[in-house]
C-alpha cells in the first residue's frame, strides 16, 4: 500500500517567476505532490536550492541514478528515504541535486505515505489528541533584499493578533492591518504608489522610526475599532546589513559597530513596544544574540540566518542561550527528517520553533501542517498574495477538520 511505484519531477515557477521543482511520489494507493521555495536573503549555512549543474541536468541525472534506488521502498519509512536522498547527493550543501529536488521528493514522499494510510500530513508527523494552531505572523512593511533594497533597510515589519478567538480572525486581523497601513502610507508618504515586495508587504522610503510610528497608530486604531490586540515584530536580517565590520543602514544613514547595533535594537524594542525580533545581529554573532536575550527575557528573540534550521547550529545557540526562538525553513536543510530533528531539539530545549515561508514561494501548503504538528506558536506566511494565502487557508481547513481538538496559540 505504501510501496513507491513511481517518481516524477517537473520544472515549475515560484512566486518570483524563478524555476524550481515539483515532485510526485506515487504509491499503489496515493500520489504525493510537493515543491520547493527559494529565498533571496540567505544564510551562508543553508544548503543550495538550485543544483550547480542546473535543474534540467540535475533532474535528468536524478531520474537515471537516484529514482531506481527509491522504487519499491516503503514510503512510510521517511528517514530511510531521506538517507538515500542525502547520500545520493553526496555533498554537505546538496550541490548536486539541491533542495529543489531533494526536499521536493522528501515532502512528496511524506504526503504519499500520509494519504496511503488516510492521515493528514500533520497527523503523520505527530499524532496526538490536542493541537495548537499557530498565529499567523504577517509582514506588512517590507524592505532589504525582499524589496531590492528600495525600501526600509531592515527586511520586515511584522504583526500578529494575540487575542483572536479563531484562526479566521487571526488571519483577518493581519489583512486589516495591511489595508490600514496602505491608507496611512498613502496619506503620509508622498512617494508611496502602492508598491509591494516579493512577499506582498508594502514598500516605503520613509525613515524606520516614522514608519514604526504609523504601525503603532494603525494597531491602536484597529484595537479601538475591532478590539484586536496586535503585537509588532521586526526581522532585521542583519547579515544583509553587515559588511564584516559594521552594520550599514543606507536609508537611515547609519553605520554601527556591534555595541551600537545592540543599543539601536534596544532603543527600537523599548520605544515601539516590539515583542518579536528576528536576526538582530549577523549570522555568527551568538554573543550579541545572548546579550539581547538576557536583557529582554519577556520578548521573542529569534534566530534565522544564525541557525539556518540546522541542528548543530541550534545546539551552539542553546549552549550560549542565544535566543528563545528559531526559524524553521525546510529548504535550508533539504529534507523532512533533518527538519524534524531540529524542531525536536528546539521543543525539548524550550526554544519556540517558528515555521516560515520563503520570499520565492509556491502554492505548496506543507509548512502549514508542519507548524500544526509541533504546536508552532507562530507561522510566517505573509499577509496577502495567492502563494501566501494558500498556507493560511490550509490552516482554516485543518481547524475545521480538528474541530474541538484544535486551539489557537497565544503569546504573552
Amino acid at each position: 500500500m505504501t510501496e513507491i511505484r513511481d517518481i516524477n519531477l517537473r520544472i515549475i515557477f515560484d512566486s518570483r517567476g524563478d524555476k524550481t521543482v515539483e515532485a510526485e511520489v506515487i504509491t499503489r494507493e496515493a500520489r504525493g505532490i510537493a515543491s520547493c521555495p527559494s529565498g533571496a536573503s540567505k544564510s551562508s549555512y543553508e544548503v543550495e536550492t538550485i543544483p550547480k549543474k542546473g535543474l534540467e541536468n540535475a533532474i535528468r541525472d536524478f531520474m537515471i541514478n537516484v529514482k531506481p534506488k527509491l522504487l519499491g521502498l516503503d514510503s512510510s519509512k521517511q528517514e530511510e528515504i531521506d538517507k538515500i536522498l542525502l547520500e545520493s547527493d553526496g555533498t554537505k550543501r546538496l550541490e548536486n541535486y539541491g533542495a529543489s529536488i531533494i526536499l521536493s521528493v522528501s515532502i512528496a514522499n511524506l504526503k504519499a505515505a500520509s494519504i496511503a494510510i488516510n492521515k493528514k500530513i500533520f497527523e503523520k508527523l505527530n499524532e496526538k489528541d490536542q493541537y495548537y494552531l499557530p498565529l499567523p505572523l504577517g509582514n506588512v512593511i517590507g524592505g532589504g533584499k525582499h524589496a531590492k533594497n528600495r525600501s526600509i533597510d531592515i527586511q520586515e515589519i511584522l504583526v500578529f493578533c494575540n487575542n483572536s478567538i479563531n484562526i479566521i480572525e487571526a488571519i483577518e486581523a493581519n489583512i486589516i492591518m495591511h489595508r490600514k497601513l496602505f491608507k496611512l502610507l498613502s496619506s503620509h508618504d508622498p512617494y508611496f504608489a502602492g508598491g509591494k515586495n516579493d512577499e506582498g508587504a508594502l514598500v516605503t522610503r520613509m525613515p524606520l522610526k516614522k514608519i514604526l510610528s504609523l504601525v503603532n497608530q494603525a494597531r491602536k486604531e484597529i484595537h479601538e475599532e475591532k478590539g484586536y490586540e496586535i503585537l509588532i515584530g521586526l526581522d532585521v536580517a542583519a547579515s544583509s546589513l553587515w559588511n564584516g565590520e559594521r552594520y550599514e543602514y543606507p536609508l537611515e544613514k547609519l553605520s554601527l559597530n556591534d555595541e551600537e547595533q545592540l543599543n539601536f535594537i534596544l532603543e527600537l524594542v523599548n520605544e515601539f513596544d516590539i515583542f518579536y525580533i528576528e536576526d538582530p545581529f549577523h549570522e555568527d554573532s551568538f554573543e550579541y544574540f545572548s546579550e539581547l536575550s538576557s536583557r529582554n527575557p519577556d520578548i521573542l528573540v529569534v534566530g534565522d540566518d544564525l541557525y539556518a534550521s540546522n541542528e548543530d547550529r541550534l545546539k551552539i545557540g542553546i549552549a550560549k542561550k542565544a535566543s528563545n526562538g528559531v526559524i524553521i525553513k525546510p529548504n535550508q536543510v533539504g529534507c523532512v527528517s533533518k527538519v524534524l530533528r531540529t524542531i525536536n531539539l528546539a521543543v525539548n530545549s524550550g526554544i519556540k520553533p517558528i515555521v516560515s515561508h520563503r520570499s520565492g514561494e509556491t502554492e505548496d501548503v506543507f509548512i502549514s501542517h508542519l507548524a500544526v504538528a509541533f504546536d508552532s506558536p507562530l507561522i510566517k506566511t505573509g499577509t496577502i498574495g495567492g502563494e501566501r494565502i494558500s498556507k493560511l487557508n490550509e490552516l482554516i481547513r485543518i481547524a475545521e477538520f480538528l474541530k474541538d481538538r484544535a486551539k489557537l496559540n497565544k503569546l504573552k
Side-chain angles (χ1 to χ4, degrees), residues 281-298:
F281 307 100
H282 68 77
E283 63 187 21
D284 291 310
S285 188
F286 283 100
E287 290 73 15
Y288 276 93
F289 267 86
S290 300
E291 181 65 23
L292 180 63
S293 295
S294 67
R295 293 200 197 184
N296 294 271
D298 296 326

Side-chain angles (χ1 to χ4, degrees), residues 208-268:
L208 179 59
K209 287 192 175 184
K210 285 188 177 181
I211 192 63
L212 283 171
S213 295
L214 287 183
V215 173
N216 264 326
Q217 179 183 334
R219 72 168 181 162
K220 288 174 184 175
E221 290 180 7
I222 289 171
H223 181 72
E224 292 171 0
E225 295 164 7
K226 297 282 188 178
Y228 292 152
E229 179 191 345
I230 304 292
L231 300 183
I232 300 175
L234 303 178
D235 179 359
V236 181
S239 290
S240 297
L241 304 173
W242 180 247
N243 67 7
E245 295 181 351
R246 303 181 72 85
Y247 295 94
E248 301 292 345
Y249 292 77
L251 182 61
E252 301 293 321
K253 294 181 172 57
L254 293 175
S255 179
L256 308 177
N257 62 27
D258 289 316
E259 198 65 28
E260 290 166 339
Q261 174 75 357
L262 173 62
N263 290 331
F264 181 58
I265 296 299
L266 288 169
E267 184 181 317
L268 293 176

Side-chain angles (χ1 to χ4, degrees), residues 74-82 109 113 124:
D74 185 349
S75 64
S76 68
K77 296 181 178 179
Q78 187 70 41
E79 287 202 9
E80 180 181 339
I81 301 299
D82 286 344
N109 178 78
K124 180 70 168 62

Side-chain angles (χ1 to χ4, degrees), residues 352-408:
K352 290 178 170 57
I354 297 162
V355 178
S356 176
H357 63 168
R358 299 306 299 257
S359 54
E361 261 299 338
T362 72
E363 63 273 28
D364 195 289
V365 297
F366 169 68
I367 64 168
S368 302
H369 288 262
L370 184 64
V372 171
F374 295 97
D375 299 338
S376 177
L378 297 166
I379 181 170
K380 286 185 73 175
T381 55
T383 304
I384 61 169
E387 72 283 356
R388 318 291 160 184
I389 290 293
S390 66
K391 281 81 168 159
L392 297 170
N393 285 341
E394 186 70 2
L395 291 175
I396 295 172
R397 298 182 193 102
I398 291 171
E400 184 179 274
F401 172 82
L402 286 171
K403 297 184 174 65
D404 293 340
R405 295 172 57 210
K407 293 183 179 180
L408 199 59

